[in-house]
Amino acid sequence: MTFRIKELFYTLQGEGMQAGRPAVFCRFAGCNLWSGREEDRASARCTFCDTDFTGADAGEFSSVESLADAIASTFPPLPDTTYKTRRPYVIFTGGEPALQLTQDLIETLHAR
């Protein structure tokens, strides 16, 4: 499986119970409900999306390990003690994350 990633970035979670928590966002490219092209919006099954998920600007990753490495490298260097008190937090988003998010990727990230 090839993972197509629109962007990877480090920021603070902006909403919900984890609001304010440092996180890496992994935005997947692609969606099965809309092509991402404006000319297709009226006939799409989803007409309200505001996410730019076209293209794989952050790259295509051919393995779970290579994507996990890219995600891990997006976190800034922190003292070892930081990770003992708070685990790194990853948010998967994008066009339709369920098309690419796999149990192997989740387990690989948890192991790291």
Side-chain angles (χ1 to χ4, degrees), residues 2-106:
T2 298
F3 298 95
R4 297 183 64 241
I5 307 300
K6 175 63 179 177
E7 56 186 333
L8 284 171
F9 58 94
Y10 179 78
T11 190
L12 298 179
Q13 168 62 12
E15 55 192 24
M17 284 186 61
Q18 300 297 325
R21 183 173 180 178
V24 165
F25 278 68
C26 177
R27 180 165 288 139
F28 290 105
C31 181
N32 59 334
L33 301 177
W34 177 43
S35 68
R37 296 187 313 257
E38 273 309 313
E39 61 268 20
D40 297 336
R41 186 182 292 274
S43 62
R45 286 186 278 167
C46 171
T47 59
F48 59 86
C49 184
D50 65 352
T51 301
D52 178 8
F53 56 79
T54 58
D57 298 349
E60 294 188 7
F61 299 85
S62 60
S63 70
V64 167
E65 292 78 16
S66 64
L67 178 52
D69 288 344
I71 290 170
S73 71
T74 305
F75 284 97
L78 295 171
D80 287 341
T81 55
T82 302
Y83 292 125
K84 291 178 182 170
T85 59
R86 179 163 262 191
R87 293 172 52 186
Y89 191 55
V90 179
I91 298 167
F92 294 101
T93 184
E96 178 47 74
L99 295 175
Q100 298 183 69
L101 186 59
T102 66
Q103 188 66 35
D104 284 345
L105 177 57
I106 294 168

